[in-house]
Amino acid sequence: MSGQTVPVDYSGHMLDLDEDEDLEVFSKAPVADGNPMPNSPSSMVNQFRLEEDEPQDVNAKDLFITVDNPESHITAIETFIMYRVLTKTTRSEFDSSEYEVHRRYQDFLWLRSRLEETHPTLIVHPLPEKFVMKGMVERFNDDFIHTRRKALHRFLNKISEHPILSYNQHFKVFLTAEELTSHRKQGPGFLSRMGETVRAVANTVRGLKSRPEEFAAMQEYVDDFSNKICTVDKVTQRIIKEEREYLDELKQYGPMYGQWAESEGNLAEPLKAVASCVERCGKETEEHAHHLSEVLVPTLHEYILCAETLKAVMRRRDHIQAEFEAKNEALASRKSEQEALQEEVDGLSDRMEGSNEALKGDWFRWKAGMRTDLKSAFVSSAEKNVDYYEKCLAVWESFLLSQRAESSDQQDGEDVS
Amino acid sequence: MMAESGSSEVAVIGNVDLTSTELENNIINTMVERGTALLRRMEINVAEAEKRTGKNTVNMQETYTVYLIETRPAETIAEGGTPAAPDTLWRRYSEFELFRNYLLVTYPHIIIPPLPEKRAEFVWHKLSADNLDPDFVERRRVGLENFLLRVASHPVLSDDEMFLRFLTDEKRWKEAVLETGFQDKVDSRLKSLSAMFRVKNPDKQFTALKHYSDDLNTIISQLLRVRAKVADRLYGVYKVHGNYGRVFSEWSAIEKEMGDGLQSAGHHMDTYAASIDDILEEEEHYADQLKEYLFYTDAVRSVCRKQDLIQYELEMAVQDLSTKKQQKEELTSGTVRIFSLKGMTTKLFGQESQEQRESKLEALDLSIHEGEEAVNEKNRECKEFLQTAWGDIERFREQKDNDLREALISYAIMQISMCKKGIQVWSNAKECFNKM
């Protein structure tokens, strides 16, 4: 299953999730913006349904985002980095076709938590980690900023590719609003949501009767996947480390041939040539390690964070189920207030169904994305390895040719391979 | 009986997929080509190695390795015929050492080819330092064969009778070589090597050679040490990839579409990780080629020292003669220029008689005559040494340049082979990843 198309009845259930929240957001969208299309839920649905009629392929991408230009901002209280977020779009919900805004890491955090609150059982791509990884001293060193910027760029692009999340109002605000701080203060329930998430973690075990089979399988997969991807990441980091140590030795090794050449006559030329070959191979090794760090490691790292996201999503789904089951039990045991309770239970049941469907659909989508991303990263790494060996091969073959040209007519009639 | 040496040329460059045996043979073919009388009539191999146990001189059990030396007449093989069975005998390393010591003493003006190392040096961590380790034994076998061929291809050494006996007479060789009495000279040679003496007019060429030899010794040692570290690191890089193999295999079990691609890619990772063992084993042969010339520097230094010693002895003889002539002059003229106790006592206790003086003069004349002969002898020895040694040094220089150049070429070939393997494995892995 490609996961690119979305199940038909998705949108209906989605809206049921957080009705108040969504409606509130929609109604706050000022008509004074000059937006011809009314931002009502139904119109969103229509928009959405239109979308799903055409096969959603990469070429139909209509939202392009870049994150670049990290700049240091120093205030009296703190120092932080501002990133420039450029958006180009042909979507009609956007007033303009181009936007340029500036955002800091905190803003990204805000966006992501709003997305998660709005869609607790959708898989929202993770952000790069908040804190500095162990071993780094300065928070704002160039490598760190470079890595973070790339990850933030990935994050926004992943959101923009998501059939539901990319239409989220918070997302639009994030991309377009000049000043984000006023929007950030809006919307109730942020703190209560936090509280609920905390309780959700605690409540997972308690009150959950049994997971439906497909989610049990999902949980098992997530745990295994998390394990494996962490290992792959560790192995990759180790390879980089070993390569760098190998390179350090090569840097000692090559020049020795050059040194030797100084006391030689006839041998000087081939010795110097070998020194040069070793040096060039060393450069290739350096490039190779760099490539691993730039391409494979960030992707693996992303998917380690995805695994954590998946675990959280599963916990939230479990919590929703637990809530329903608790109320349902209460309904069974209580004789009074049956009608009111029944309504509540129905509501929770719908919510649960909706969450489950949302997760199921997004799960396939996520798996397809994971497959594409990891496949691409591994293929690229393998290619780079081939490239590395091809370059080194050329270096040594040219040495052989030069020696062959140097030598007298001792060698007759062999192939040049 | 003209021998047709095996392969026509040293075809090193064209064929890049050489095995270690072929590489070895290429160097050997170079030597055979030089064609001494011995090599023209005889083929020499160190074919095998075997472990033996026995009682040593202090009656303790010991395990040691013996090496099979094969010799056969170097005739063209008749069509359809099989080569004649070789004559064989077994020798252990200590016998090679004994033989080499004989050569060192007997031919002090020749740069004697070195033996392979007694103990494994410049070892990187996965390489065994154990003398009984099969890889070490194999490399030593190659080194011993190399030694024999070097001797056999040397214009002077190949004619030595003890050499022939070493190759053909298993039991009585040792007795014969000890009978030459060379061991008496071993001590004096050792003394001369370690003696500190000052030569007034050192030969410029030999001084330069000594410096070169020392430089070469230093640089090759350093190179070998760093090369071992490089090998160690490279080993680490390759082996870590084995972990990919394991985790991809485990991961493939939980994936549906991605499973096959991951699994097969994992296998290639295992192949890649395993490939380094052979690659580095090959490289040890290159290291051995460098080591040979590292050990050669000791032989070169030895010859230089010998020259120094002869020069010193000449200078001493000249000095001695000059002193005696002085004494005669003083005796005849009556003046004492050189202090001597005898002179002083004579002065104090009275002159000697005419008879005494005449007999002294006679003795001095004789002494001077002997001294002159000694100087002539030393002069001759010196000239002869310079000539023969320098001839050998030129020969050695050319051999060194050729051999080391070939070694560098074979190193390049090994690198190429390693790169080709890498390309193969990673292309395969890429295909598997594409199928994910």
Side-chain angles (χ1 to χ4, degrees):
Chain A
M1 190 167 170
S2 70
Q4 295 286 17
T5 55
V6 173
V8 179
D9 59 352
Y10 209 150
S11 51
H13 286 290
M14 190 208 87
L15 287 169
D16 285 337
L17 278 175
D18 255 324
E19 253 176 297
D20 291 348
E21 183 79 45
D22 285 355
L23 282 173
E24 208 169 71
V25 173
F26 291 145
S27 68
K28 277 203 164 52
V31 182
D33 255 1
N35 190 348
M37 243 213 262
N39 278 350
S40 67
S42 51
S43 70
M44 280 288 287
V45 172
N46 290 335
Q47 170 81 14
F48 191 70
R49 283 229 168 88
L50 267 168
E51 276 263 336
E52 83 195 40
D53 283 335
E54 42 185 329
Q56 190 180 343
D57 60 20
V58 200
N59 295 328
K61 190 170 172 178
D62 55 4
L63 188 59
F64 297 87
I65 308 172
T66 51
V67 176
D68 62 9
N69 221 29
E71 271 174 2
S72 213
H73 279 240
I74 305 170
T75 69
I77 317 162
E78 54 175 347
T79 309
F80 58 90
I81 304 281
M82 277 297 230
Y83 300 88
R84 182 175 71 164
V85 179
L86 283 174
T87 307
K88 288 195 172 67
T89 180
T90 53
R91 286 189 190 176
S92 40
E93 316 84 75
F94 289 82
D95 298 337
S96 164
S97 59
E98 279 188 39
Y99 290 91
E100 177 179 329
V101 297
H102 293 85
R103 300 282 179 254
R104 55 185 291 189
Y105 181 77
Q106 267 181 31
D107 300 332
F108 286 82
L109 280 178
W110 169 84
L111 171 62
R112 189 167 184 276
S113 53
R114 292 325 307 262
L115 291 174
E116 276 195 315
E117 289 157 29
T118 318
H119 311 282
T121 57
L122 288 187
I123 302 165
V124 180
H125 201 73
L127 279 170
E129 277 149 327
K130 201 183 277 227
F131 297 116
V132 160
M133 289 170 286
K134 64 174 179 190
M136 272 211 274
V137 182
E138 222 207 288
R139 200 165 110 230
F140 291 142
N141 82 44
D142 285 341
D143 278 340
F144 176 74
I145 294 173
H146 170 78
T147 312
R148 180 175 265 197
R149 184 201 60 75
K150 271 176 48 180
L152 293 176
H153 176 96
R154 284 273 292 172
F155 167 76
L156 289 181
N157 276 282
K158 282 285 184 182
I159 304 298
S160 76
E161 287 160 13
H162 195 291
I164 295 167
L165 295 175
S166 69
Y167 291 94
N168 183 283
Q169 189 57 20
H170 301 300
F171 186 52
K172 178 168 174 240
V173 163
F174 179 91
L175 293 175
T176 58
E178 198 56 47
E179 189 56 61
L180 201 58
T181 26
S182 49
H183 293 269
R184 280 171 60 170
K185 297 212 167 74
Q186 283 173 1
F190 180 81
L191 285 172
S192 63
R193 283 277 157 216
M194 280 294 286
E196 203 184 308
T197 318
V198 171
R199 263 182 281 128
V201 173
N203 283 346
T204 306
V205 180
R206 185 159 56 93
L208 188 69
K209 289 272 159 60
S210 66
R211 264 192 218 111
E213 206 188 294
E214 58 215 322
F215 295 114
M218 219 184 265
Q219 180 71 53
E220 217 186 294
Y221 174 85
V222 168
D223 288 335
D224 286 334
F225 176 82
S226 172
N227 235 306
K228 300 309 158 206
I229 201 76
C230 280
T231 307
V232 176
D233 177 68
K234 269 201 215 109
V235 173
T236 310
Q237 306 267 25
R238 182 70 191 278
I239 288 174
I240 295 173
K241 177 170 172 281
E242 296 283 340
E243 263 190 46
R244 294 225 163 101
E245 288 176 346
Y246 168 65
L247 181 63
D248 285 342
E249 295 300 339
L250 275 186
K251 286 189 174 151
Q252 307 266 344
Y253 181 57
M256 285 192 164
Y257 285 100
Q259 226 184 305
W260 183 356
E262 282 167 22
S263 49
E264 292 290 342
N266 286 335
L267 267 184
E269 182 269 320
L271 283 172
K272 276 190 253 185
V274 168
S276 159
C277 287
V278 172
E279 194 193 324
R280 281 147 75 194
C281 287
K283 286 214 171 72
E284 295 301 331
T285 306
E286 195 159 21
E287 243 195 68
H288 177 263
H290 184 74
H291 182 267
L292 276 183
S293 296
E294 285 293 298
V295 175
L296 190 54
V297 169
T299 310
L300 292 174
H301 208 66
E302 239 178 77
Y303 277 92
I304 292 176
L305 295 175
C306 275
E308 294 306 305
T309 303
L310 288 172
K311 287 180 188 167
V313 167
M314 303 231 63
R315 276 197 297 272
R316 288 199 285 264
R317 190 221 68 86
D318 283 351
H319 173 70
I320 289 170
Q321 181 180 324
E323 273 195 354
F324 160 74
E325 284 173 351
K327 265 289 142 66
N328 207 20
E329 263 182 49
L331 179 66
S333 54
R334 291 255 222 115
K335 293 305 167 193
S336 60
E337 299 172 6
Q338 286 268 331
E339 234 186 78
L341 264 180
Q342 185 65 57
E343 240 190 86
E344 251 190 277
V345 168
D346 287 343
L348 286 173
S349 169
D350 285 345
R351 183 169 82 136
M352 181 182 76
E353 298 253 346
S355 312
N356 288 350
E357 287 309 306
L359 176 54
K360 269 198 278 187
D362 218 23
W363 172 252
F364 287 114
R365 214 194 133 262
W366 179 84
K367 279 217 78 180
M370 180 270 285
R371 185 179 172 196
T372 308
D373 289 345
L374 289 178
K375 171 176 165 175
S376 150
F378 286 132
V379 166
S380 169
S381 298
E383 256 172 17
K384 185 63 189 170
N385 268 297
V386 173
D387 180 58
Y388 164 77
Y389 280 113
E390 279 177 346
K391 291 217 175 85
C392 290
L393 178 69
V395 164
W396 289 105
E397 276 186 337
S398 78
F399 169 77
L400 276 195
L401 277 176
S402 76
Q403 293 309 303
R404 199 157 179 266
E406 289 281 327
S407 72
S408 52
D409 38 342
Q410 280 177 18
Q411 358 268 352
D412 298 322
E414 53 254 0
D415 308 312
V416 180
S417 51
Chain B
M1 225 184 330
M2 271 309 281
E4 223 93 15
S5 57
S7 63
S8 45
E9 295 123 354
V10 182
V12 176
I13 291 176
N15 178 5
V16 293
D17 294 322
L18 293 177
T19 61
S20 59
T21 333
E22 285 169 305
L23 281 169
E24 171 196 329
N25 283 341
N26 282 331
I27 304 246
I28 292 169
N29 289 335
T30 317
M31 286 193 264
V32 172
E33 228 185 288
R34 284 183 226 250
T36 55
L38 182 67
L39 278 177
R40 275 198 287 273
R41 68 170 197 273
M42 185 189 271
E43 231 179 77
I44 305 171
N45 291 106
V46 176
E48 280 167 45
E50 237 179 54
K51 270 211 209 58
R52 297 272 168 86
T53 47
K55 291 248 159 82
N56 65 8
T57 45
V58 289
N59 216 32
M60 286 176 68
Q61 278 282 73
E62 62 167 0
T63 312
Y64 57 90
T65 314
V66 286
Y67 300 88
L68 186 69
I69 302 181
E70 280 184 357
T71 48
R72 55 156 76 85
E75 312 175 301
T76 48
I77 297 162
E79 292 216 16
T82 48
D87 292 324
T88 64
L89 48 75
W90 294 94
R91 293 253 183 253
R92 53 186 295 190
Y93 187 85
S94 55
E95 292 178 271
F96 279 84
E97 278 185 308
L98 183 66
F99 172 61
R100 186 164 185 271
N101 283 335
Y102 160 79
L103 288 178
L104 282 169
V105 170
T106 314
Y107 302 94
H109 56 289
I110 302 281
I111 299 168
I112 307 295
L115 285 172
E117 56 193 355
K118 200 172 172 105
R119 260 164 286 278
E121 258 183 86
F122 306 110
V123 173
W124 55 277
H125 91 279
K126 268 295 176 169
L127 207 60
S128 175
D130 176 18
N131 280 8
L132 295 172
D133 175 75
D135 285 335
F136 180 76
V137 168
E138 170 58 21
R139 286 209 313 282
R140 192 186 251 192
R141 181 196 66 74
V142 172
L144 292 174
E145 187 178 275
N146 199 52
F147 167 75
L148 292 179
L149 288 170
R150 291 256 187 235
V151 175
S153 61
H154 193 283
V156 173
L157 300 177
S158 60
D159 283 336
D160 186 279
E161 198 204 314
M162 289 303 128
F163 181 45
L164 193 59
R165 284 201 152 184
F166 184 80
L167 294 175
T168 55
D169 195 348
E170 186 161 28
K171 304 252 185 308
R172 288 175 313 220
W173 162 81
K174 195 161 179 177
E175 198 186 307
V177 86
L178 290 174
E179 265 174 24
T180 62
F182 82 91
Q183 293 210 301
D184 302 333
K185 297 194 213 154
V186 167
D187 281 336
S188 72
R189 176 175 170 269
L190 284 176
K191 230 188 278 162
S192 82
L193 280 179
S194 56
M196 304 285 268
F197 52 79
R198 268 307 207 80
V199 173
K200 289 205 197 97
N201 289 314
D203 181 284
K204 285 208 175 72
Q205 284 187 303
F206 272 92
T207 308
L209 181 64
K210 198 176 342 143
H211 288 153
Y212 168 75
S213 172
D214 289 341
D215 287 344
L216 191 63
N217 187 293
T218 306
I219 192 68
I220 294 185
S221 302
Q222 288 177 345
L223 188 64
L224 284 171
R225 205 171 311 124
V226 177
R227 190 211 69 91
K229 281 201 231 158
V230 169
D232 211 21
R233 290 291 169 211
L234 190 61
Y235 183 84
V237 172
Y238 271 73
K239 285 300 177 189
V240 177
H241 282 81
N243 292 314
Y244 270 154
R246 191 172 41 235
V247 69
F248 282 168
S249 177
E250 291 169 5
W251 182 2
S252 70
I254 61 169
E255 296 290 347
K256 293 200 187 71
E257 302 99 356
M258 277 167 59
D260 288 337
L262 271 177
Q263 173 93 315
S264 43
H267 288 150
H268 292 298
M269 293 299 99
D270 287 332
T271 304
Y272 181 71
S275 67
I276 193 65
D277 294 310
D278 284 344
I279 288 167
L280 288 178
E281 181 55 40
E282 279 285 311
E283 255 195 49
E284 283 311 308
H285 290 279
Y286 169 69
D288 284 341
Q289 289 175 283
L290 294 181
K291 274 181 211 170
E292 192 192 14
Y293 277 91
L294 178 66
F295 302 145
Y296 254 123
T297 60
D298 288 332
V300 172
R301 193 186 308 126
S302 186
V303 172
C304 292
R305 280 299 256 174
K306 181 70 184 180
Q307 190 276 334
D308 253 358
L309 183 64
I310 292 176
Q311 174 86 0
Y312 179 72
E313 285 171 353
L314 173 64
E315 284 175 1
M316 285 296 105
V318 166
Q319 171 111 334
D320 187 60
L321 182 63
S322 153
T323 311
K324 285 175 186 165
K325 282 189 172 165
Q326 275 267 7
Q327 285 180 330
K328 179 178 175 182
E329 205 205 296
E330 275 165 24
L331 207 55
T332 34
S333 68
T335 56
V336 180
R337 239 171 300 198
I338 302 167
F339 176 81
S340 76
L341 192 58
K342 193 92 194 293
M344 283 314 291
T345 52
T346 313
K347 267 207 145 152
L348 290 170
F349 299 112
Q351 292 280 13
E352 30 184 29
S353 68
Q354 180 68 10
E355 248 181 46
Q356 283 176 319
R357 273 188 64 198
E358 281 193 1
S359 73
K360 262 210 215 111
L361 263 174
E362 244 182 79
L364 254 181
D365 272 336
L366 190 63
S367 187
I368 286 171
H369 180 69
E370 284 172 352
E372 280 171 346
E373 276 192 17
V375 168
N376 287 337
E377 177 64 36
K378 278 294 163 190
N379 237 323
R380 212 178 33 82
E381 201 183 323
C382 212
K383 281 209 177 78
E384 205 180 300
F385 187 92
L386 277 173
Q387 215 175 347
T388 48
W390 207 255
D392 197 49
I393 287 161
E394 289 300 331
R395 188 202 59 85
F396 169 76
R397 264 207 236 270
E398 206 187 309
Q399 174 196 296
K400 172 205 66 142
D401 283 348
N402 282 335
D403 288 348
L404 287 175
R405 194 168 154 271
E406 291 298 329
L408 291 174
I409 288 170
S410 72
Y411 182 70
I413 292 173
M414 287 176 210
Q415 299 306 306
I416 287 171
S417 163
M418 178 172 89
C419 290
K420 285 188 175 172
K421 281 189 198 152
I423 291 170
Q424 179 75 352
V425 161
W426 284 103
S427 300
N428 291 339
K430 178 182 160 187
E431 254 183 66
C432 295
F433 286 135
N434 261 322
K435 295 203 189 107
M436 261 168 77

